[in-house]
Amino acid sequence: MKNIAITLITFITLSSCVSKKKYVALEQEKGEVVNQLTKTQVEKEELEAKFAKIEARVSEYNSKINTLTDEVGSLTEENYTKFDAVGNKAVVSEEAKVGMRKTLSKVSPDVLKYYNTLEDSMNLALSLNLKRFVDTTDLDESDDIAISIDQTVVMISISDKMLFNSGSYRISNKADKILQKLADVINSEPSLDVMIEGHTDSRSINTAKVTDNWDLSVLRATSVVRKLQNDFGVAPEKLIASGRSSYQPLTDNDTREGRSRNRRTRIVLLPNIDKFFAMMASAE
């Protein structure tokens, strides 16, 4: 009997020990599962945060794509304002090029073959347009006006006999027609600045009112400036008066014809090229 009791106690003790070990093992396993679950939850939250950032970036990119799509649509309409540099002359937009092509389409192919670059074409188109705008067919001395392009400016050279009496800085009555036309060009384009240059031949002059050729060239320039301002309504802030005396001759002064060519007034226009062609288009 005693042996049976001892055996029973031993069995119960051993059973209790095994159950406790299992419990501890289960507790450890539970702890590991909880730790893994916590880790997984943290990773899930991190992934959700990353996903939210990705969604935000995708939304931002979509917004930019929509904006660019709108801008592309606008640029399709606004590509006429795309600018190109033309040598050292100017910056010309597509719209100005359209104006030039329209003008040049009326020019003989025999003439166009000498104009190979955009720079050449711009010179020719500007010259033709300005000659048309300052039409001199109704002037008695239509051969005595020359229009050219140099660097970024348009230059109109008018002979001495179209503006002044011989040796004088007083403007003659027959100058009104050409000065009216010039005033129309200047007044029609607000962006123009205009420099009036007086030029003389090399023969010296010294009178009670004119000291020398420097004096005469400046007095002639200021006479034209005053005429444009007072009689034809040109804004004075757009005008510059300057004199070159005899130091920029077109030819030698050895002949009467040469001296006549050198006595001239040059009107230098500094236009915005795009606005210039818009002005020409509106005048048609």
Side-chain angles (χ1 to χ4, degrees):
M1 185 68 179
K2 183 177 179 181
N3 290 334
I4 293 172
I6 293 171
T7 302
L8 182 59
I9 292 170
T10 302
F11 177 76
I12 293 171
T13 302
L14 289 172
S15 298
S16 298
C17 290
V18 171
S19 298
K20 186 175 181 180
K21 286 181 179 180
K22 286 184 177 181
Y23 177 79
V24 170
L26 289 172
E27 284 293 325
Q28 290 177 344
E29 185 177 347
K30 176 186 175 183
E32 291 175 358
V33 170
V34 169
N35 289 337
Q36 187 63 40
L37 182 60
T38 302
K39 182 180 178 181
T40 302
Q41 183 66 31
V42 170
E43 290 176 349
K44 175 177 175 290
E45 291 174 355
E46 290 177 349
L47 288 173
E48 287 177 343
K50 290 180 180 179
F51 185 72
K53 289 181 179 179
I54 292 171
E55 281 189 323
R57 291 178 66 184
V58 169
S59 177
E60 181 183 354
Y61 289 147
N62 285 336
S63 176
K64 289 181 178 179
I65 289 171
N66 292 333
T67 300
L68 288 172
T69 300
D70 292 339
E71 289 178 354
V72 167
S74 298
L75 286 172
T76 301
E77 298 178 356
E78 296 174 2
N79 59 359
Y80 284 143
T81 59
K82 179 182 177 182
F83 292 100
D84 289 329
V86 183
N88 63 348
K89 300 264 180 176
V91 177
V92 182
S93 74
E94 291 295 330
E95 186 175 7
K97 291 179 191 176
V98 170
M100 283 188 278
R101 284 193 289 269
K102 183 177 179 181
T103 297
L104 296 176
S105 67
K106 304 172 185 177
V107 178
S108 167
D110 291 335
V111 175
L112 282 179
K113 67 183 180 181
Y114 298 107
Y115 296 84
N116 300 317
T117 67
L118 179 58
E119 183 176 351
D120 293 336
S121 299
M122 184 185 76
N123 284 347
L124 179 60
L126 275 173
S127 181
L128 291 173
N129 271 322
L130 195 52
K131 283 179 179 178
R132 176 182 57 80
F133 201 76
V134 188
D135 182 15
T136 59
T137 54
D138 60 341
L139 298 172
D140 295 334
E141 305 290 348
S142 59
D143 290 337
D144 290 312
I145 180 170
I147 299 170
S148 61
I149 313 295
D150 184 18
Q151 299 299 322
T152 59
V153 300
V154 178
M155 294 185 295
I156 305 170
S157 183
I158 306 173
S159 69
D160 174 75
K161 61 185 178 181
M162 292 185 71
L163 297 178
F164 305 101
N165 296 320
S166 179
S168 172
Y169 59 86
R170 297 188 183 279
I171 296 179
S172 65
N173 292 331
K174 66 180 180 180
D176 284 355
K177 286 184 179 180
I178 186 61
L179 292 181
Q180 176 67 72
K181 290 178 178 292
L182 290 171
D184 290 342
V185 173
I186 297 167
N187 289 333
S188 64
E189 180 44 64
S191 69
L192 284 178
D193 284 326
V194 185
M195 182 163 63
I196 313 298
E197 291 182 353
H199 295 259
T200 71
D201 60 33
S202 62
R203 291 181 302 178
S204 61
I205 184 172
N206 188 312
T207 69
K209 295 183 178 181
V210 180
T211 304
D212 54 19
N213 281 326
W214 280 113
D215 201 11
L216 179 60
S217 64
V218 173
L219 287 170
R220 285 184 166 179
T222 54
S223 292
V224 173
V225 163
R226 290 193 184 98
K227 187 78 171 177
L228 291 172
Q229 176 186 349
N230 298 332
D231 293 0
F232 301 112
V234 176
E237 61 270 17
K238 299 173 67 173
L239 298 171
I240 305 166
S242 66
R244 297 286 190 147
S245 186
S246 59
Y247 297 107
Q248 287 196 345
L250 295 175
T251 185
D252 61 64
N253 286 284
D254 297 336
T255 65
R256 180 178 178 180
E257 291 75 16
R259 290 191 295 272
S260 179
R261 283 194 66 198
N262 291 332
R263 293 192 304 271
R264 68 199 188 279
T265 299
R266 188 168 69 166
I267 290 84
V268 183
L269 306 178
L270 298 88
N272 177 299
I273 300 299
D274 290 330
K275 291 183 178 180
F276 183 84
F277 273 101
M279 175 184 72
M280 294 303 162
S282 65
E284 292 182 346

